[in-house]
């Protein structure tokens, strides 16, 4: 039998993938369906699963087999799969089992308590749990940094965004800081000259759900392999064969949930179109979190907030909620392209959104590097919100530093993915437009197949076969270039 070591590894990683599948669905259930009393038992079960996967992945046998497989005669795809297997092994082997378990338990505990602490504005209670999560995240970061060199924060960033460093982020985000505040001011001043009509609620939750399903159908979501539910914080989870989307509804606000669903549908389409013949293998996983966020922001912002798509979406809104002055075409488009700095990241327009991300990046990096402590977060948050958006969050933890789920389970290093994703999305949409000259006309008429075929061919079907830089260069002709993001914002808003 040829390549026996490689074949042996594929069996091990298929097994790990099945355990990961169970964890993903148990995690979705914990966020969407589980009664509060189940929290402790579920946390322990998920921690046990983390330890089991860690034991399988870090066994001496896997290390020896990886080394032996390196010598085998593998084709390009097999070689890419072996590279991703080795990366997963190295990421896991650095961490002692006890730390994996302790971090998982601390994260579950912090997230579960956050669900009631956030509505109650209970920073003190939240901070106690967060300190525990930060402690284990710093331990993890120190172990990873000692192995790979570089800073502790870079070691966590690498989990989500391979090959990205804070030095490169500082250049990209430093450039943003130079031009974005001015663009934000000009866009809001320009829009202030036009009076808009606000949609009149209440908007029944069941009708909102139906509208979200309409949008998912329009965008090609495969309902045979996924579903839509409700959770405290919108997310896309599950596995490629069974993708779970969640959103949250507010009967006084129509578009927050709708565009949340459109955003998560972008994530879901990526997952549903990963290379099926390699499912269960690391090479079939999504390339990186920034690439994943590029797909959700491609759907929500590049496509979803375009005049062409809004023209196509409007009849669905009218069919579900009746006609009203706010839904007149020009007003409907302008309302959904408003630039209005606010407190909540997930509700932010695409011009002010990067401010929310850079703020979190700067705080979490300082936190992991030990330059600040958990107690320092609220004041820093307030200071940066005032500097970027002219808004104060003093004493308002609910709408300030307690609004996100990411830090509750130690997801430090994830936040930069959102703005990197926005940059990638703009670059990809530009390339798609070059390749598909009738794109805007097609979108307005509800014809998305050419666009989705382009994404499938250039991004989705490759999984992790290529590095991020290779994948983006193959699709667009160059590595990440933030120029396209700036150009997109200027064209749409100025």
């Amino acid at each position: 039998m040829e390549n026996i070591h490689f074949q042996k590894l594929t069996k091990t990683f298929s097994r790990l993938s099945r355990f990961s599948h169970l964890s993903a669905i148990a995690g979705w259930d914990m966020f969407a369906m589980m009664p509060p009393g189940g929290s402790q038992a579920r946390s322990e079960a998920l921690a046990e699963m983390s330890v089991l996967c860690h034991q399988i992945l870090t066994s001496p046998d896997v290390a020896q087999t990886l080394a032996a497989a390196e010598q085998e005669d593998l084709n390009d795809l097999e070689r890419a799969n072996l590279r991703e297997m080795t990366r997963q092994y190295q990421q896991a082997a650095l961490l002692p089992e006890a730390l994996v378990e302790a971090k998982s338990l601390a994260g579950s505990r912090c997230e579960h308590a956050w669900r009631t602490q956030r509505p109650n504005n209970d920073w003190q209670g939240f901070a106690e749990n967060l300190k525990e999560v930060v402690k284990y995240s710093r331990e993890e970061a120190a172990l990873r940094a000692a192995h790979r060199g570089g800073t502790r924060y870079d070691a966590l960033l690498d989990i989500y965004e391979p090959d990205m460093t804070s030095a490169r982020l500082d250049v990209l985000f430093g450039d943003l800081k130079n031009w974005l505040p001015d663009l934000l001011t000009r866009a809001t001043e320009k829009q202030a000259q036009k009076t808009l009509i606000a949609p009149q609620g209440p908007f029944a939750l069941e009708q909102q759900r139906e509208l979200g399903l309409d949008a998912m159908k329009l965008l090609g979501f495969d309902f045979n392999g996924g579903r839509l539910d409700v959770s405290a914080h919108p997310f896309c989870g599950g596995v490629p064969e069974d993708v779970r989307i969640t959103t949250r509804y507010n009967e006084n606000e129509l578009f927050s949930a709708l565009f949340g669903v459109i955003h998560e549908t972008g994530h879901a389409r990526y997952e549903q179109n990963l290379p099926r013949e390699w499912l269960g293998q690391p090479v079939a996983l999504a390339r990186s979190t920034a690439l994943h966020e590029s797909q959700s922001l491609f759907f929500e912002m590049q496509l979803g907030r375009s005049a062409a798509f809004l023209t196509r979406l409007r009849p669905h809104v009218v069919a579900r909620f009746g006609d009203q002055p706010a839904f007149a075409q020009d007003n409907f488009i302008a309302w959904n392209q408003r630039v209005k700095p606010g407190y909540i990241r997930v509700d932010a327009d695409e011009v002010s959104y990067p401010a929310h991300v850079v703020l979190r990046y700067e705080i979490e990096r300082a936190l992991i590097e030990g330059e600040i402590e958990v107690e320092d977060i609220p004041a820093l948050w307030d200071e940066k919100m005032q500097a970027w958006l002219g808004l104060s969050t003093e004493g308002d933890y609910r709408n300030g530093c307690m609004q996100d789920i990411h830090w509750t389970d130690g997801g430090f290093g994830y936040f930069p993915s959102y703005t990197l994703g926005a940059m990638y999305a703009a670059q990809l949409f530009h390339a798609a437009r070059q390749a598909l000259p009738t794109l805007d006309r097609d979108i307005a008429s509800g014809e998305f197949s050419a666009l989705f075929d382009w994404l499938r061919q250039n991004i989705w079907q490759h999984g992790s076969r290529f590095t991020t830089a290779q994948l983006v260069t193959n699709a667009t002709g160059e590595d990440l270039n933030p120029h396209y993001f700036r150009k997109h914002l200027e064209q749409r808003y100025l």
Side-chain angles (χ1 to χ4, degrees):
M1 181 180 173
E2 57 180 313
N3 297 336
I4 53 170
H5 297 102
F6 180 77
Q7 297 301 332
K8 184 178 174 185
L9 287 168
T10 61
K11 285 181 181 153
T12 301
F13 278 85
S14 287
R15 188 174 176 224
L16 282 166
S17 173
R18 291 183 194 114
F19 287 138
S20 172
H21 179 152
L22 290 175
S23 290
I25 299 300
W28 163 84
D29 176 78
M30 182 165 79
F31 294 127
M33 307 296 282
M34 186 188 77
S39 174
Q40 183 64 28
R42 182 64 54 87
S43 301
E44 288 168 3
L46 285 168
E48 192 71 47
M49 194 71 100
S50 306
V51 170
L52 176 64
C53 290
H54 188 263
Q55 286 170 343
I56 295 169
L57 186 53
T58 58
S59 76
D61 185 47
V62 168
Q64 289 158 9
T65 312
L66 283 166
E70 280 289 350
Q71 309 307 315
E72 294 180 327
D73 182 23
L74 306 177
N75 65 32
D76 284 355
L77 256 172
E78 290 167 338
R79 188 67 58 194
N81 195 33
L82 183 60
R83 178 196 71 217
E84 295 302 310
M85 288 172 170
T86 305
R87 175 176 158 80
Q88 279 195 19
Y89 165 76
Q90 288 172 342
Q91 293 268 14
L94 298 171
L95 306 181
E97 205 175 282
L99 177 57
V100 172
E101 183 175 28
K103 190 180 175 217
S104 176
L105 284 168
S108 294
R109 205 162 34 239
C110 186
E111 187 280 327
H112 186 73
W114 166 82
R115 297 185 207 185
T116 48
Q117 287 163 344
R118 185 189 172 204
N120 294 331
N121 205 39
D122 176 14
W123 166 253
Q124 293 315 124
F126 176 67
E128 281 312 302
N129 288 330
L130 185 61
K131 282 177 195 168
E132 194 80 351
V133 175
V134 169
K135 182 179 91 171
Y136 294 126
S137 296
R138 283 174 171 171
E139 278 182 40
E140 178 183 353
L143 287 168
R144 292 187 183 283
H147 171 76
R148 66 188 288 282
T151 70
R152 291 195 296 187
Y153 182 75
D154 282 1
L156 296 185
L157 183 62
D158 184 68
I159 299 169
Y160 303 102
E161 207 46 40
D163 307 322
M164 184 53 69
T165 63
S166 46
R168 190 172 174 208
L169 283 177
D170 288 342
V171 173
L172 290 165
F173 292 172
D175 177 54
L176 263 182
K177 281 180 160 181
N178 285 334
W179 58 262
L180 191 68
D182 177 59
L183 195 151
L184 188 55
T185 304
R186 288 164 65 201
T188 43
E189 283 172 357
K190 182 184 176 200
Q191 292 187 357
Q193 294 164 18
K194 187 175 180 184
T195 306
L196 295 181
I197 303 164
Q200 296 302 305
F203 303 100
L205 303 191
E206 189 45 46
Q207 289 299 101
Q208 287 201 49
R209 176 181 157 75
E210 292 298 326
L211 179 61
L213 293 171
D214 291 343
M216 289 165 73
K217 287 185 191 116
L218 201 58
L219 294 167
F221 182 87
D222 175 10
F223 286 93
N224 193 42
R227 51 181 287 143
L228 172 66
D229 292 280
V230 176
S231 70
H233 194 94
F235 71 93
C236 174
V239 292
E241 307 92 319
D242 180 6
V243 179
R244 305 297 175 96
I245 287 181
T246 70
T247 193
R248 58 183 174 209
Y249 300 105
N250 172 355
E251 66 171 13
N252 299 313
E253 215 294 309
L254 176 58
F255 296 118
S256 175
L258 176 61
F259 280 92
V261 168
I262 291 170
H263 177 100
E264 302 306 340
T265 301
H267 282 305
R269 291 297 316 272
Y270 188 14
E271 287 291 318
Q272 289 181 334
N273 286 277
L274 288 166
R276 290 285 162 138
E277 66 280 13
W278 283 89
L279 281 184
Q281 295 301 309
V283 77
L285 294 170
R287 174 63 233 154
S288 73
T289 54
L291 248 292
H292 229 309
E293 294 303 340
S294 81
Q295 298 311 289
S296 58
L297 292 168
F298 191 103
F299 273 58
E300 180 194 2
M301 298 298 187
Q302 296 291 326
L303 174 62
R305 303 267 180 190
S306 68
F309 183 80
L310 289 167
T311 301
R312 189 74 194 86
L313 184 66
R314 193 183 77 86
H316 292 278
V317 176
V318 172
R320 294 290 175 195
F321 292 100
D323 214 346
Q324 55 169 276
F327 299 158
Q329 176 126 326
D330 287 353
N331 191 84
F332 181 76
I333 291 171
W335 186 264
N336 284 297
Q337 290 184 347
R338 278 176 315 154
V339 177
K340 194 169 185 289
Y343 294 98
I344 304 299
R345 176 186 61 82
V346 295
D347 294 337
D349 61 85
E350 61 181 331
V351 184
S352 59
Y353 196 107
H356 292 272
V357 171
V358 175
L359 170 157
R360 287 156 173 79
Y361 158 65
E362 290 173 350
I363 291 175
E364 71 175 14
R365 186 180 66 178
L367 192 62
I368 293 300
E369 297 294 355
E371 295 160 13
I372 62 168
E373 295 302 329
V374 168
E375 292 85 353
D376 303 318
I377 294 173
L380 271 171
W381 193 286
D382 178 51
E383 180 191 311
K384 290 174 185 293
M385 278 294 280
Q386 296 213 45
W388 269 103
L389 301 175
L391 299 169
S392 173
T393 57
E394 190 177 356
D396 183 5
Y397 312 110
R398 173 195 304 122
N399 293 314
C401 56
M402 283 179 71
Q403 66 181 272
D404 300 292
I405 203 170
H406 305 61
W407 289 346
T408 64
D409 67 353
F412 299 101
Y414 193 111
F415 277 122
S417 306
Y418 291 111
T419 289
L420 290 171
M423 291 174 177
Y424 282 127
Q427 188 168 332
L428 290 169
F429 205 85
H430 175 81
R433 201 175 247 135
Q434 301 296 105
L436 307 167
T438 61
L439 182 58
D440 290 298
R441 200 160 66 238
D442 292 346
I443 292 168
S445 64
E447 181 44 65
F448 304 115
S449 57
L451 179 60
F452 296 152
D453 284 345
W454 187 89
L455 284 171
R456 190 178 294 109
Q457 284 166 16
N458 288 283
I459 302 295
W460 298 345
Q461 69 171 356
H462 299 297
S464 285
R465 179 176 185 174
F466 304 111
T467 65
T468 309
Q470 285 172 315
L471 187 67
V472 173
T473 303
N474 292 347
T476 70
E478 58 184 315
D479 193 7
L480 178 61
N481 182 347
H483 157 78
Y484 295 103
F485 182 53
R486 180 176 182 176
K487 189 174 159 192
H488 158 70
L489 293 181
E490 287 172 346
Q491 283 179 337
R492 181 173 284 178
Y493 297 100
L494 299 182

